[in-house]
Amino acid sequence: QVQVVESGGGLVQAGGSLRLSCAASGSSGSISTIDRMGWYRQAPGKQRELVASIANGGSTNYADFVEGRFTISRESTKNMVYLQMNSLKPEDTALYYCAVDRIPNPYDPNTALRYWGQGTQVTVSS
């Protein structure tokens, strides 16, 4: 099992910045099999969508709407992932979730498991 806890959300004016943090914890056996970590968001009445993700090796993936405003980073030694969000827009308002993917058997990707945090609210006022 992996526990996931997000922090850093809040209320900010349009054009402002926020930094989200996510900490993954669990047994050493579980933590050692963490692969990709990422951020998703869900606005009221909308589906959850990917914001950004980062693999164990450091490769990143961003949603088109990020448009260079957000940066995802990772401290693997601390099992932490961060999302630096700049030039925030009112449409970025959502509940932001951290997702941690674990692959217990590296020889079988079908064993992959995903763990979610409870979410942290980001509200951008106009």
Side-chain angles (χ1 to χ4, degrees):
Q1 289 291 330
V2 175
Q3 291 76 47
V4 181
V5 178
E6 306 99 334
S7 62
L11 173 63
V12 64
Q13 288 188 334
S17 299
L18 281 175
R19 187 188 193 218
L20 306 183
S21 300
C22 169
S25 62
S27 67
S28 58
S30 295
I31 294 298
S32 66
T33 57
I34 287 177
D35 181 35
R36 183 168 289 271
M37 303 177 75
W39 291 94
Y40 289 72
R41 72 184 189 184
Q42 187 167 19
K46 295 187 177 182
Q47 289 189 334
R48 191 174 299 189
E49 60 183 354
L50 172 70
V51 178
S53 67
I54 183 167
N56 218 359
S59 63
T60 57
N61 181 37
Y62 292 93
D64 290 341
F65 61 76
V66 168
E67 299 175 323
R69 300 178 296 128
F70 300 172
T71 302
I72 190 169
S73 60
R74 181 169 176 171
E75 280 189 273
S76 296
T77 57
K78 296 182 179 180
N79 306 311
M80 299 283 296
V81 65
Y82 307 95
L83 185 68
Q84 177 66 43
M85 303 187 294
N86 300 325
S87 302
L88 283 161
K89 305 174 183 179
E91 50 264 43
D92 294 318
T93 295
L95 191 59
Y96 283 69
Y97 295 92
C98 179
V100 174
D101 294 341
R102 185 169 77 92
I103 304 180
N105 183 352
Y107 300 103
D108 184 2
N110 292 323
T111 64
L113 300 168
R114 172 163 291 180
Y115 302 88
W116 294 95
Q118 293 297 308
T120 184
Q121 179 67 40
V122 171
T123 303
V124 185
S125 63
S126 57

